[in-house]
Amino acid sequence: IGSILLAIVGVMMFSIPSGLDIQSLTVYYIVILFAFSIVQTFFTIPWISLNSVLTPNDNQRNLLLSSRQLGGFVAVYGVNLFLMKLLAKFGGGADAWQKVAILISTVILVCGVLCANGARRVDYKDSIPTPAKINFREQLKLIYANRAVITSSLINGLINLSSGIATSLNIYFLRIVLGSTHPISITAMTGMICSFVFIPLVPRMIRGFSKLKVLVAGCLLNVLPCVVCFLFSKQLLAGDFATNSGLMFLYIGIVTIGNLGFTLANAATLSLAVDVIDYTELRFGAPQPGFISAATSFLKKVCTSFSTLIVGAALAAVGYVKDAPITPEIQQTVLNLRVFAPLAILVVTLIVIRCYPITKSYAIEMRKQLAEKRASQ
Protein backbone atom coordinates (compact mmCIF):
# COMPACT_ATOMS: atom_id res chain seq x y z
CA ILE A 1 0.00 0.00 0.00
CA GLY A 2 2.84 2.36 0.86
CA SER A 3 4.49 1.67 -2.52
CA ILE A 4 1.31 2.55 -4.39
CA LEU A 5 0.69 5.73 -2.42
CA LEU A 6 4.33 6.81 -2.64
CA ALA A 7 4.33 6.38 -6.43
CA ILE A 8 1.13 8.42 -6.80
CA VAL A 9 2.26 11.26 -4.54
CA GLY A 10 5.70 11.21 -6.17
CA VAL A 11 4.14 12.03 -9.54
CA MET A 12 1.84 14.66 -8.00
CA MET A 13 4.85 16.47 -6.50
CA PHE A 14 6.11 17.19 -10.02
CA SER A 15 2.74 17.90 -11.64
CA ILE A 16 1.59 21.51 -11.92
CA PRO A 17 -2.22 21.89 -11.89
CA SER A 18 -3.38 24.32 -14.56
CA GLY A 19 -5.55 27.33 -13.82
CA LEU A 20 -4.32 27.93 -10.26
CA ASP A 21 -2.91 31.23 -9.01
CA ILE A 22 0.27 31.36 -6.93
CA GLN A 23 -1.59 31.18 -3.59
CA SER A 24 -3.54 28.11 -4.67
CA LEU A 25 -0.38 26.46 -5.99
CA THR A 26 1.35 27.14 -2.68
CA VAL A 27 -1.48 25.42 -0.80
CA TYR A 28 -1.41 22.52 -3.28
CA TYR A 29 2.30 21.89 -2.79
CA ILE A 30 2.11 22.22 1.00
CA VAL A 31 -0.58 19.52 1.02
CA ILE A 32 1.36 17.30 -1.40
CA LEU A 33 4.62 17.61 0.54
CA PHE A 34 2.75 16.82 3.75
CA ALA A 35 1.20 13.78 2.07
CA PHE A 36 4.61 12.70 0.75
CA SER A 37 6.05 12.76 4.28
CA ILE A 38 3.19 10.61 5.57
CA VAL A 39 3.22 7.99 2.81
CA GLN A 40 7.02 7.78 2.86
CA THR A 41 6.77 6.90 6.56
CA PHE A 42 3.98 4.44 5.74
CA PHE A 43 6.37 2.78 3.30
CA THR A 44 9.61 3.03 5.28
CA ILE A 45 8.78 1.84 8.80
CA PRO A 46 7.55 -1.67 7.89
CA TRP A 47 10.34 -1.97 5.32
CA ILE A 48 12.99 -1.22 7.96
CA SER A 49 11.24 -3.44 10.52
CA LEU A 50 11.52 -6.45 8.17
CA ASN A 51 15.12 -6.97 9.37
CA SER A 52 13.85 -8.32 12.69
CA VAL A 53 11.54 -10.77 10.91
CA LEU A 54 13.96 -12.04 8.29
CA THR A 55 16.60 -13.29 10.76
CA PRO A 56 17.35 -13.23 14.51
CA ASN A 57 21.12 -13.40 13.85
CA ASP A 58 23.04 -10.16 14.53
CA ASN A 59 25.61 -10.64 11.75
CA GLN A 60 22.94 -11.55 9.21
CA ARG A 61 20.96 -8.45 10.17
CA ASN A 62 24.06 -6.34 9.55
CA LEU A 63 24.42 -7.97 6.13
CA LEU A 64 20.78 -7.18 5.37
CA LEU A 65 21.29 -3.56 6.43
CA SER A 66 24.38 -3.29 4.22
CA SER A 67 22.50 -4.81 1.27
CA ARG A 68 19.66 -2.36 1.77
CA GLN A 69 22.06 0.56 1.97
CA LEU A 70 23.93 -0.60 -1.13
CA GLY A 71 20.70 -0.61 -3.11
CA GLY A 72 19.84 2.83 -1.73
CA PHE A 73 23.15 4.38 -2.66
CA VAL A 74 23.02 2.90 -6.15
CA ALA A 75 19.58 4.49 -6.58
CA VAL A 76 20.67 7.89 -5.24
CA TYR A 77 23.86 8.07 -7.27
CA GLY A 78 22.07 6.67 -10.30
CA VAL A 79 19.57 9.52 -10.18
CA ASN A 80 22.40 12.05 -9.78
CA LEU A 81 24.25 10.48 -12.68
CA PHE A 82 21.39 10.34 -15.18
CA LEU A 83 18.98 13.06 -14.02
CA MET A 84 20.31 15.91 -16.15
CA LYS A 85 20.61 13.64 -19.21
CA LEU A 86 17.03 12.42 -18.78
CA LEU A 87 15.72 15.97 -18.39
CA ALA A 88 17.54 16.99 -21.58
CA LYS A 89 16.22 13.92 -23.42
CA PHE A 90 12.64 14.79 -22.42
CA GLY A 91 13.04 18.38 -23.62
CA GLY A 92 13.63 20.19 -20.32
CA GLY A 93 11.15 22.25 -18.33
CA ALA A 94 8.25 21.20 -16.12
CA ASP A 95 7.04 18.47 -18.51
CA ALA A 96 10.47 16.82 -18.43
CA TRP A 97 10.51 16.82 -14.62
CA GLN A 98 7.06 15.23 -14.59
CA LYS A 99 8.17 12.47 -16.98
CA VAL A 100 11.24 11.74 -14.85
CA ALA A 101 9.01 11.64 -11.75
CA ILE A 102 6.70 9.13 -13.47
CA LEU A 103 9.72 6.99 -14.40
CA ILE A 104 11.16 7.00 -10.84
CA SER A 105 7.74 6.45 -9.25
CA THR A 106 7.23 3.42 -11.47
CA VAL A 107 10.53 1.99 -10.26
CA ILE A 108 9.46 2.67 -6.64
CA LEU A 109 6.17 0.87 -7.19
CA VAL A 110 7.74 -2.18 -8.84
CA CYS A 111 10.52 -2.51 -6.24
CA GLY A 112 8.12 -2.02 -3.33
CA VAL A 113 5.69 -4.67 -4.56
CA LEU A 114 8.51 -7.14 -5.25
CA CYS A 115 9.95 -6.54 -1.77
CA ALA A 116 6.59 -7.06 -0.06
CA ASN A 117 5.84 -10.18 -2.09
CA GLY A 118 9.27 -11.67 -1.40
CA ALA A 119 8.92 -11.13 2.35
CA ARG A 120 5.50 -12.80 2.64
CA ARG A 121 7.09 -16.18 3.32
CA VAL A 122 8.44 -14.93 6.67
CA ASP A 123 6.39 -11.83 7.42
CA TYR A 124 2.91 -12.77 8.58
CA LYS A 125 0.74 -12.24 11.64
CA ASP A 126 2.57 -13.35 14.82
CA SER A 127 5.75 -14.17 12.87
CA ILE A 128 7.50 -12.55 15.84
CA PRO A 129 5.90 -12.06 19.26
CA THR A 130 3.59 -9.05 19.24
CA PRO A 131 4.22 -6.80 22.27
CA ALA A 132 1.33 -6.20 24.60
CA LYS A 133 -0.70 -3.11 23.75
CA ILE A 134 0.26 -0.13 25.88
CA ASN A 135 -1.28 3.32 26.11
CA PHE A 136 0.28 6.53 24.89
CA ARG A 137 1.55 7.60 28.30
CA GLU A 138 3.35 4.31 28.83
CA GLN A 139 4.82 4.56 25.34
CA LEU A 140 6.22 7.99 26.19
CA LYS A 141 7.74 6.59 29.37
CA LEU A 142 9.38 3.87 27.31
CA ILE A 143 10.93 6.54 25.08
CA TYR A 144 12.28 8.57 27.99
CA ALA A 145 13.63 5.51 29.80
CA ASN A 146 15.28 3.91 26.77
CA ARG A 147 18.61 5.71 26.38
CA ALA A 148 19.60 3.45 23.49
CA VAL A 149 16.57 4.50 21.42
CA ILE A 150 17.06 8.20 22.18
CA THR A 151 20.77 8.30 21.40
CA SER A 152 20.67 6.08 18.31
CA SER A 153 17.76 8.11 16.90
CA LEU A 154 19.62 11.36 17.59
CA ILE A 155 22.77 10.02 15.91
CA ASN A 156 20.76 9.02 12.85
CA GLY A 157 19.01 12.38 12.81
CA LEU A 158 22.22 14.39 13.15
CA ILE A 159 24.00 12.45 10.39
CA ASN A 160 21.04 13.03 8.08
CA LEU A 161 20.91 16.71 9.11
CA SER A 162 24.52 17.11 8.02
CA SER A 163 23.92 15.16 4.83
CA GLY A 164 20.69 17.05 4.16
CA ILE A 165 22.42 20.42 4.42
CA ALA A 166 25.16 19.25 2.06
CA THR A 167 22.62 17.86 -0.40
CA SER A 168 20.36 20.95 -0.29
CA LEU A 169 23.37 23.22 -0.68
CA ASN A 170 25.16 21.20 -3.35
CA ILE A 171 23.74 22.81 -6.49
CA TYR A 172 24.09 26.32 -4.98
CA PHE A 173 27.66 25.64 -3.90
CA LEU A 174 28.65 24.34 -7.32
CA ARG A 175 26.98 27.14 -9.24
CA ILE A 176 27.56 30.13 -6.93
CA VAL A 177 30.93 29.38 -5.33
CA LEU A 178 32.66 27.00 -7.73
CA GLY A 179 31.08 28.34 -10.91
CA SER A 180 30.63 24.90 -12.48
CA THR A 181 28.09 22.07 -12.16
CA HIS A 182 30.23 19.56 -14.09
CA PRO A 183 31.35 17.68 -10.95
CA ILE A 184 27.79 16.43 -10.30
CA SER A 185 27.93 13.48 -12.69
CA ILE A 186 31.58 12.70 -11.87
CA THR A 187 31.05 12.63 -8.09
CA ALA A 188 27.92 10.55 -8.64
CA MET A 189 29.96 7.98 -10.57
CA THR A 190 32.78 7.90 -8.00
CA GLY A 191 30.24 7.69 -5.19
CA MET A 192 28.54 4.73 -6.84
CA ILE A 193 31.88 2.95 -7.26
CA CYS A 194 32.73 3.57 -3.59
CA SER A 195 29.36 2.18 -2.56
CA PHE A 196 29.90 -1.02 -4.54
CA VAL A 197 33.39 -1.47 -3.10
CA PHE A 198 32.97 -0.48 0.54
CA ILE A 199 29.38 -1.24 1.60
CA PRO A 200 29.87 -5.04 1.28
CA LEU A 201 32.92 -4.62 3.57
CA VAL A 202 31.02 -2.74 6.29
CA PRO A 203 29.77 -5.84 8.20
CA ARG A 204 33.36 -7.17 8.38
CA MET A 205 34.63 -3.75 9.48
CA ILE A 206 31.96 -3.61 12.19
CA ARG A 207 32.92 -7.06 13.46
CA GLY A 208 36.60 -6.08 13.52
CA PHE A 209 36.46 -2.54 14.89
CA SER A 210 32.98 -2.20 16.53
CA LYS A 211 30.05 -0.17 15.27
CA LEU A 212 30.91 2.98 17.20
CA LYS A 213 34.48 3.12 15.87
CA VAL A 214 33.26 2.72 12.28
CA LEU A 215 30.62 5.36 12.99
CA VAL A 216 33.16 7.89 14.33
CA ALA A 217 35.56 7.21 11.44
CA GLY A 218 32.74 7.74 8.94
CA CYS A 219 31.70 11.02 10.61
CA LEU A 220 35.27 12.34 10.47
CA LEU A 221 35.69 11.41 6.80
CA ASN A 222 32.32 12.98 6.01
CA VAL A 223 33.49 16.46 7.10
CA LEU A 224 36.78 16.31 5.22
CA PRO A 225 35.34 18.37 2.31
CA CYS A 226 34.42 21.09 4.84
CA VAL A 227 37.99 21.31 6.12
CA VAL A 228 39.49 21.42 2.60
CA CYS A 229 36.97 24.05 1.46
CA PHE A 230 37.94 26.15 4.48
CA LEU A 231 41.66 25.84 3.68
CA PHE A 232 41.08 26.81 0.03
CA SER A 233 38.33 29.36 0.69
CA LYS A 234 40.24 32.28 -0.87
CA GLN A 235 40.84 30.42 -4.13
CA LEU A 236 37.22 29.27 -4.27
CA LEU A 237 35.83 32.76 -3.69
CA ALA A 238 38.26 34.19 -6.23
CA GLY A 239 36.67 32.06 -8.94
CA ASP A 240 39.76 29.98 -9.63
CA PHE A 241 37.90 26.69 -9.51
CA ALA A 242 36.30 26.84 -12.94
CA THR A 243 39.66 27.34 -14.64
CA ASN A 244 41.92 25.38 -12.27
CA SER A 245 41.92 21.68 -13.09
CA GLY A 246 43.93 20.94 -9.93
CA LEU A 247 41.21 22.42 -7.72
CA MET A 248 38.60 20.56 -9.77
CA PHE A 249 40.25 17.19 -9.16
CA LEU A 250 40.84 18.09 -5.51
CA TYR A 251 37.15 18.85 -5.02
CA ILE A 252 36.05 15.65 -6.74
CA GLY A 253 38.47 13.66 -4.59
CA ILE A 254 37.39 15.14 -1.26
CA VAL A 255 33.70 14.83 -2.12
CA THR A 256 34.29 11.17 -2.97
CA ILE A 257 36.00 10.65 0.41
CA GLY A 258 33.17 12.57 2.11
CA ASN A 259 30.60 10.33 0.41
CA LEU A 260 32.56 7.31 1.59
CA GLY A 261 32.45 8.74 5.12
CA PHE A 262 28.69 9.17 4.95
CA THR A 263 28.39 5.62 3.61
CA LEU A 264 30.30 4.23 6.59
CA ALA A 265 28.57 6.46 9.14
CA ASN A 266 25.12 5.71 7.77
CA ALA A 267 25.75 1.96 7.62
CA ALA A 268 27.07 1.92 11.19
CA THR A 269 24.12 4.01 12.38
CA LEU A 270 21.61 1.68 10.74
CA SER A 271 23.33 -1.31 12.32
CA LEU A 272 22.79 0.22 15.78
CA ALA A 273 19.09 -0.62 15.40
CA VAL A 274 19.93 -4.32 15.70
CA ASP A 275 21.47 -3.74 19.13
CA VAL A 276 18.75 -1.32 20.20
CA ILE A 277 16.03 -3.89 19.44
CA ASP A 278 17.77 -6.51 21.60
CA TYR A 279 18.47 -3.90 24.30
CA THR A 280 14.77 -2.98 24.35
CA GLU A 281 13.71 -6.63 24.59
CA LEU A 282 16.13 -7.26 27.48
CA ARG A 283 15.30 -4.10 29.42
CA PHE A 284 11.61 -3.65 28.62
CA GLY A 285 10.32 -7.13 27.79
CA ALA A 286 9.61 -6.82 24.03
CA PRO A 287 11.78 -6.00 20.97
CA GLN A 288 9.32 -3.49 19.42
CA PRO A 289 11.10 -3.08 16.04
CA GLY A 290 8.22 -1.02 14.66
CA PHE A 291 8.41 1.44 17.56
CA ILE A 292 12.19 1.78 17.21
CA SER A 293 11.90 2.27 13.43
CA ALA A 294 9.22 4.91 13.99
CA ALA A 295 11.35 6.82 16.52
CA THR A 296 14.36 6.73 14.18
CA SER A 297 12.31 7.75 11.13
CA PHE A 298 10.66 10.60 13.05
CA LEU A 299 13.95 12.23 14.04
CA LYS A 300 15.40 11.61 10.59
CA LYS A 301 12.44 13.41 9.00
CA VAL A 302 12.62 16.30 11.46
CA CYS A 303 16.34 16.78 10.90
CA THR A 304 16.06 16.45 7.11
CA SER A 305 13.29 19.08 7.11
CA PHE A 306 15.47 21.42 9.17
CA SER A 307 18.33 20.99 6.71
CA THR A 308 16.33 22.51 3.86
CA LEU A 309 14.94 25.17 6.20
CA ILE A 310 18.46 26.17 7.32
CA VAL A 311 19.73 26.47 3.75
CA GLY A 312 16.64 28.33 2.51
CA ALA A 313 16.60 30.76 5.45
CA ALA A 314 20.31 31.52 5.13
CA LEU A 315 20.03 32.23 1.40
CA ALA A 316 16.91 34.35 1.89
CA ALA A 317 18.64 36.33 4.65
CA VAL A 318 21.35 37.52 2.24
CA GLY A 319 18.89 38.31 -0.55
CA TYR A 320 19.39 35.34 -2.85
CA VAL A 321 16.88 35.32 -5.71
CA LYS A 322 16.91 32.88 -8.62
CA ASP A 323 18.57 34.29 -11.77
CA ALA A 324 19.56 37.50 -9.91
CA PRO A 325 23.23 38.64 -9.85
CA ILE A 326 25.37 36.77 -7.31
CA THR A 327 26.88 39.07 -4.69
CA PRO A 328 30.06 38.38 -2.65
CA GLU A 329 27.85 38.16 0.45
CA ILE A 330 25.81 35.33 -1.10
CA GLN A 331 29.02 33.51 -2.09
CA GLN A 332 30.43 33.85 1.42
CA THR A 333 27.17 32.64 3.00
CA VAL A 334 27.05 29.52 0.82
CA LEU A 335 30.70 28.76 1.57
CA ASN A 336 30.20 29.29 5.32
CA LEU A 337 27.23 26.93 5.32
CA ARG A 338 29.23 24.31 3.45
CA VAL A 339 32.11 24.57 5.92
CA PHE A 340 30.79 25.35 9.39
CA ALA A 341 27.34 23.71 9.56
CA PRO A 342 28.60 20.10 9.16
CA LEU A 343 31.52 20.77 11.54
CA ALA A 344 29.16 22.05 14.25
CA ILE A 345 26.87 19.05 13.74
CA LEU A 346 29.92 16.73 13.98
CA VAL A 347 30.75 18.06 17.46
CA VAL A 348 27.20 17.43 18.68
CA THR A 349 27.16 13.97 17.05
CA LEU A 350 30.38 12.92 18.81
CA ILE A 351 28.90 14.01 22.16
CA VAL A 352 25.76 11.93 21.56
CA ILE A 353 27.87 8.92 20.51
CA ARG A 354 29.64 9.13 23.88
CA CYS A 355 26.23 8.80 25.57
CA TYR A 356 25.20 5.70 23.57
CA PRO A 357 24.97 2.87 26.14
CA ILE A 358 25.75 -0.21 24.01
CA THR A 359 29.47 -0.86 23.60
CA LYS A 360 30.85 -3.89 21.75
CA SER A 361 31.56 -5.75 25.02
CA TYR A 362 28.16 -4.91 26.47
CA ALA A 363 26.42 -6.10 23.29
CA ILE A 364 28.02 -9.53 23.74
CA GLU A 365 26.97 -9.66 27.40
CA MET A 366 23.51 -8.34 26.54
CA ARG A 367 22.84 -11.12 24.01
CA LYS A 368 24.09 -13.71 26.47
CA GLN A 369 21.59 -12.47 29.06
CA LEU A 370 18.88 -12.28 26.41
CA ALA A 371 19.49 -15.89 25.33
CA GLU A 372 19.22 -17.04 28.97
CA LYS A 373 16.04 -15.03 29.41
CA ARG A 374 14.44 -16.49 26.28
CA ALA A 375 15.43 -20.03 27.31
CA SER A 376 13.78 -19.62 30.69
CA GLN A 377 10.45 -18.43 29.24
Side-chain angles (χ1 to χ4, degrees):
I1 295 172
S3 306
I4 297 169
L5 294 176
L6 192 59
I8 293 172
V9 175
V11 173
M12 294 177 70
M13 285 175 65
F14 291 91
S15 300
I16 305 175
S18 59
L20 296 182
D21 56 24
I22 188 64
Q23 289 81 10
S24 300
L25 280 174
T26 301
V27 172
Y28 169 80
Y29 281 111
I30 288 173
V31 172
I32 291 301
L33 287 170
F34 186 74
F36 175 77
S37 181
I38 293 174
V39 300
Q40 186 188 40
T41 303
F42 199 96
F43 173 93
T44 303
I45 289 178
W47 170 55
I48 295 174
S49 302
L50 278 174
N51 266 27
S52 300
V53 182
L54 293 174
T55 176
N57 182 277
D58 178 45
N59 290 328
Q60 289 180 357
R61 287 177 178 178
N62 287 333
L63 286 170
L64 285 170
L65 288 168
S66 297
S67 300
R68 189 184 82 196
Q69 190 184 27
L70 179 61
F73 273 106
V74 169
V76 169
Y77 291 126
V79 170
N80 286 336
L81 187 61
F82 297 109
L83 176 62
M84 304 308 293
K85 294 178 180 178
L86 284 172
L87 289 173
K89 184 176 180 61
F90 290 138
D95 288 341
W97 279 100
Q98 185 185 50
K99 290 175 182 177
V100 171
I102 291 172
L103 177 62
I104 294 175
S105 295
T106 301
V107 174
I108 291 172
L109 177 60
V110 172
C111 290
V113 170
L114 288 174
C115 175
N117 185 65
R120 288 174 67 182
R121 293 176 288 106
V122 292
D123 180 41
Y124 49 86
K125 183 176 173 56
D126 297 326
S127 55
I128 59 174
T130 301
K133 187 176 181 180
I134 60 176
N135 60 41
F136 184 67
R137 180 179 295 180
E138 291 173 327
Q139 191 75 69
L140 286 178
K141 287 182 180 178
L142 178 58
I143 294 174
Y144 295 138
N146 195 331
R147 188 152 62 103
V149 169
I150 294 174
T151 51
S152 65
S153 298
L154 281 173
I155 292 167
N156 190 25
L158 288 166
I159 288 173
N160 280 279
L161 175 61
S162 180
S163 173
I165 289 175
T167 301
S168 301
L169 198 63
N170 186 42
I171 192 68
Y172 299 105
F173 183 76
L174 290 172
R175 190 162 52 84
I176 293 173
V177 177
L178 304 188
S180 173
T181 58
H182 293 306
I184 289 180
S185 58
I186 301 174
T187 53
M189 177 65 72
T190 57
M192 187 181 296
I193 293 171
C194 282
S195 297
F196 273 115
V197 173
F198 285 100
I199 290 181
L201 300 177
V202 170
R204 183 173 296 180
M205 294 172 65
I206 287 173
R207 288 198 302 272
F209 299 102
S210 85
K211 296 176 182 180
L212 294 183
K213 288 181 180 179
V214 173
L215 173 57
V216 171
C219 289
L220 294 175
L221 287 175
N222 191 37
V223 298
L224 180 63
C226 307
V227 176
V228 174
C229 286
F230 175 74
L231 295 175
F232 287 87
S233 56
K234 289 184 179 180
Q235 291 91 330
L236 295 177
L237 291 174
D240 294 343
F241 179 86
T243 57
N244 190 322
S245 59
L247 279 178
M248 172 79 81
F249 285 115
L250 174 64
Y251 178 78
I252 293 171
I254 61 171
V255 168
T256 300
I257 295 173
N259 288 337
L260 171 60
F262 176 72
T263 299
L264 295 177
N266 196 47
T269 303
L270 291 173
S271 71
L272 296 181
V274 178
D275 296 335
V276 173
I277 290 170
D278 289 341
Y279 178 93
T280 303
E281 182 179 358
L282 179 64
R283 293 293 186 92
F284 301 96
Q288 301 204 43
F291 159 69
I292 293 168
S293 299
T296 302
S297 296
F298 172 73
L299 272 176
K300 179 179 178 180
K301 281 181 173 293
V302 169
C303 291
T304 303
S305 299
F306 268 105
S307 67
T308 55
L309 179 63
I310 290 169
V311 172
L315 290 174
V318 293
Y320 172 79
V321 178
K322 185 174 183 261
D323 298 327
I326 302 301
T327 65
E329 187 179 15
I330 293 174
Q331 281 187 309
Q332 188 66 61
T333 299
V334 172
L335 180 61
N336 288 343
L337 273 175
R338 184 70 178 89
V339 170
F340 295 112
L343 288 173
I345 294 168
L346 171 67
V347 173
V348 179
T349 304
L350 293 177
I351 293 172
V352 177
I353 290 173
R354 290 281 297 175
C355 299
Y356 181 69
I358 308 174
T359 61
K360 185 175 182 179
S361 58
Y362 178 71
I364 295 171
E365 177 62 27
M366 176 181 69
R367 291 196 171 89
K368 181 180 177 182
Q369 294 179 24
L370 193 56
E372 294 172 353
K373 181 179 179 181
R374 288 168 177 166
S376 64
Q377 291 177 345

